[in-house]
């Protein structure tokens, strides 16, 4: 025997399911919407804890409205506000469902209309065809669906089914797709149904059978846990957002990723500072990452900072207090050719290890791109001591010249005019850092 849950709109059962917690539907409720019969819930929890059947606890509450035992409920107006905040605007949901209906019935479309047929019956020997738009199918089907739902109890009153007109029957049957396909979000259909209802009507999710079956305890924050489950799913399936120090970093790394790792490039999205007009800089990376966390952005977010003194200071700042598990900060990797690199300081020219001190993104497109007009690597100028990490900060001189060489290299690579040889290894290391960070949750 299975255990069921039921979604009620007033006295109408508009959705039900079996042997599962309706996690996505749960996200439209909050813990303040919870209701429960305290004595009954306590007995159920105790029976489940002893490993005994909690169903016997119903005997002493015979005659009590089972819909008052355990679940969540609030007004249609509140649910609609929450649905819209989650992106389930009725107009958008309607257009998406129309598109789905047309996709499912693509072989039965003539002149832009769906051709739906009624099979022969005992009274009628001939098949009848109806030509209607997908929008009409949706409107008619929802109206018929709600009419059937008036007869609570699997759409039956005793043994008599609610009688629907022939076209209504066909249209409501078309809606089966939105229930049978597990990939269809149930909030699409919910937003469309509720958009035409009295805002003061009550939407209720009865979870009493799931509680009796031990799916959870009455004290658990079921709606909060459902929202966290959705966050985890989004973090796993949504794009991995990469925040960089500046718009140039974002642009060139976003171009380089499909070149060196086209197999995984589509899983990462570089935050476009140029398009959003957001401020750049290492301090802004720290602030932006913490802002994303404070706002509860569900995606995995990786902050990628330079391999210099400012970058090391940023990692130190982000370590305390710790960020949620889906927010990760990493710096660019060390480079072999940066271990003895030309520098300029108060004592004049020297060869220094600039890893962890001056390696900005311009260093990672191969040593060839760093060669200046004089045939030597463009030097690093020491600027100031970063007291946070007790390390000198350096800046690449003539950076614009190096960036032009990088742009030319990317243009040639995208045109297939340069080999993907060892010069791309630093970028491959950066991509591996992103992959490792995304998998470290």
């Amino acid at each position: 025997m299975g255990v069921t849950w039921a979604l009620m709109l007033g006295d109408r059962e508009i959705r039900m399911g079996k042997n599962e917690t309706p996690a996505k539907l749960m996200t439209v409720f909050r813990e303040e919407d919870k209701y429960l019969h305290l004595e009954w819930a306590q007995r159920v929890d105790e029976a489940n804890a002893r490993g005994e059947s909690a169903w016997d606890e119903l005997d002493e509450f015979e005659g009590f409205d089972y819909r008052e035992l355990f679940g969540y409920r609030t007004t249609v107006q509140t649910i609609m506000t929450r649905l819209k905040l989650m992106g389930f605007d009725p107009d958008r949901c309607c257009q998406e469902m129309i598109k789905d209906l047309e996709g499912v019935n693509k072989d039965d479309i003539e002149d832009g209309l769906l051709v739906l047929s009624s099979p022969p019956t005992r009274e009628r020997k001939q098949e009848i065809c109806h030509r209607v738009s997908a929008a009409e199918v949706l409107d008619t089907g929802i109206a018929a669906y709600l009419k059937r739902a008036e007869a609570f109890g699997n759409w039956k009153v005793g043994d008599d089914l609610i009688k629907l007109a022939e076209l209504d029957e066909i249209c409501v049957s078309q809606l089966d797709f939105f229930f049978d396909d597990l990939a269809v979000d149930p909030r699409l259909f919910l937003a469309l149904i509720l958009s035409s209802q009295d805002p003061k009507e009550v939407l209720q999710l009865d979870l009493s059978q799931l509680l009796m079956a031990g799916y959870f305890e009455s004290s658990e924050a079921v709606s909060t846990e459902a929202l966290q489950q959705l966050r985890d799913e989004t973090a796993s399936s949504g794009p991995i957002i990469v925040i960089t120090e500046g718009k140039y970093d974002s642009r060139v790394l976003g171009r380089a990723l499909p070149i060196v790792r086209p197999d995984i490039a589509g899983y990462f999205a570089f935050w476009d500072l140029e398009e959003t007009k957001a401020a750049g800089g290492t301090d802004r990376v720290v602030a932006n990452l913490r802002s994303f966390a404070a706002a509860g952005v569900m995606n995995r977010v990786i902050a990628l900072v330079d391999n210099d003194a400012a970058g090391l200071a940023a990692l130190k700042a982000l370590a305390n207090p710790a960020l949620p598990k889906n927010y990760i900060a990493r710096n660019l990797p060390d480079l072999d050719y940066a271990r003895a690199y030309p520098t300029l300081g108060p004592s004049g020219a020297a060869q220094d290890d600039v890893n962890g001190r001056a390696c900005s993104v311009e260093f990672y497109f191969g040593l060839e791109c760093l060669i200046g007009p004089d045939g030597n690597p463009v030097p690093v100028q020491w600027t100031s001591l970063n007291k946070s990490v007790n390390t000198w900060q350096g800046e690449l001189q003539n950076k614009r010249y190096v960036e032009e060489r990088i742009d030319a290299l990317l243009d040639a690579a995208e045109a297939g005019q340069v080999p993907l040889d060892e010069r791309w290894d630093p970028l491959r290391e950066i991509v591996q850092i992103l992959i490792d960070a995304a998998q470290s949750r």
Side-chain angles (χ1 to χ4, degrees), residues 8-12 72-77 79 194 198-205:
M8 307 291 299
L9 179 60
D11 291 329
R12 294 172 288 179
Y72 291 77
R73 63 182 169 213
T74 189
T75 64
V76 166
Q77 183 177 24
I79 296 294
L194 298 186
D198 183 351
K200 297 180 181 179
E201 183 67 276
V202 172
L203 187 75
Q204 175 179 345
L205 184 61

Side-chain angles (χ1 to χ4, degrees), residues 30-318:
R30 293 294 179 266
E31 285 310 301
E32 59 264 28
D33 305 328
K34 181 190 283 188
Y35 66 89
L36 77 163
H37 189 290
L38 287 173
E39 182 183 356
W40 173 81
Q42 183 178 358
R43 292 189 183 187
V44 168
D45 286 341
E46 291 172 351
N48 284 332
R50 294 192 302 267
E52 300 175 358
S53 173
W55 294 87
D56 296 336
E57 301 302 327
L58 278 178
D59 296 342
E60 294 187 30
F61 294 88
E62 187 175 355
F64 188 84
D65 187 350
Y66 71 93
R67 289 174 294 178
E68 297 298 318
L69 293 175
F70 181 80
Y72 291 77
R73 63 182 169 213
T74 189
T75 64
V76 166
Q77 183 177 24
T78 298
I79 296 294
M80 284 302 299
T81 299
R82 292 171 180 171
L83 282 167
K84 289 177 182 178
L85 287 173
M86 289 186 282
F88 293 93
D89 178 81
D91 290 339
R92 184 189 73 80
C93 293
C94 180
Q95 293 305 312
E96 187 168 333
M97 293 175 74
I98 288 173
K99 184 178 179 181
D100 288 340
L101 282 171
E102 291 173 338
V104 171
N105 297 281
K106 58 181 179 295
D107 294 331
D108 298 312
I109 295 179
E110 293 181 7
D111 300 324
L113 297 176
L114 301 183
V115 181
L116 306 177
S117 61
S118 300
T121 64
R122 181 178 302 176
E123 295 78 16
R124 173 177 46 76
K125 305 300 182 184
Q126 186 177 357
E127 180 181 75
I128 297 179
C129 291
H130 305 267
R131 297 177 183 272
V132 291
S133 68
E136 290 176 294
V137 171
L138 192 58
D139 288 343
T140 304
I142 288 176
Y145 185 89
L146 288 171
K147 183 178 180 181
R148 280 187 165 179
E150 294 284 355
F152 169 66
N154 200 26
W155 297 351
K156 291 184 179 181
V157 180
D159 294 326
D160 297 325
L161 284 171
I162 293 293
K163 299 297 184 182
L164 296 175
E166 185 177 80
L167 182 58
D168 290 352
E169 286 280 7
I170 297 174
C171 290
V172 78
S173 69
Q174 290 287 310
L175 303 184
D176 289 344
F177 165 75
F178 299 106
F179 302 103
D180 296 340
D181 191 333
L182 297 178
V184 176
D185 196 310
R187 291 169 295 183
L188 281 170
F189 195 62
L190 181 62
L192 213 50
I193 285 182
L194 298 186
S195 64
S196 62
Q197 301 302 303
D198 183 351
K200 297 180 181 179
E201 183 67 276
V202 172
L203 187 75
Q204 175 179 345
L205 184 61
D206 171 35
L207 300 174
S208 54
Q209 288 195 23
L210 297 185
L211 183 68
M212 287 187 288
Y215 278 65
F216 35 72
E217 295 180 1
S218 62
S219 60
E220 288 185 44
V222 185
S223 71
T224 302
E225 291 170 5
L227 188 59
Q228 185 57 51
Q229 178 182 332
L230 181 63
R231 286 193 177 113
D232 291 342
E233 290 177 3
T234 302
S236 297
S237 58
I240 303 160
I241 300 172
V242 182
I243 301 176
T244 61
E245 292 191 19
K247 58 185 180 182
Y248 180 79
D249 301 26
S250 178
R251 178 167 64 82
V252 294
L253 290 177
R255 290 180 67 187
L257 183 55
I259 294 172
V260 297
R261 287 298 302 271
D263 55 319
I264 51 88
Y267 291 91
F268 294 90
F270 286 83
W271 193 24
D272 192 339
L273 295 172
E274 191 164 20
E275 182 69 24
T276 60
K277 306 301 182 185
T282 311
D283 57 336
R284 295 311 308 164
V285 172
V286 174
N288 289 333
L289 192 62
R290 290 209 178 277
S291 296
F292 275 40
V297 174
M298 298 180 186
N299 301 65
R300 284 168 288 178
V301 183
I302 302 172
L304 193 62
V305 296
D306 290 346
N307 184 19
D308 59 9
L312 296 180
L315 294 183
K316 183 178 179 181
L318 288 167

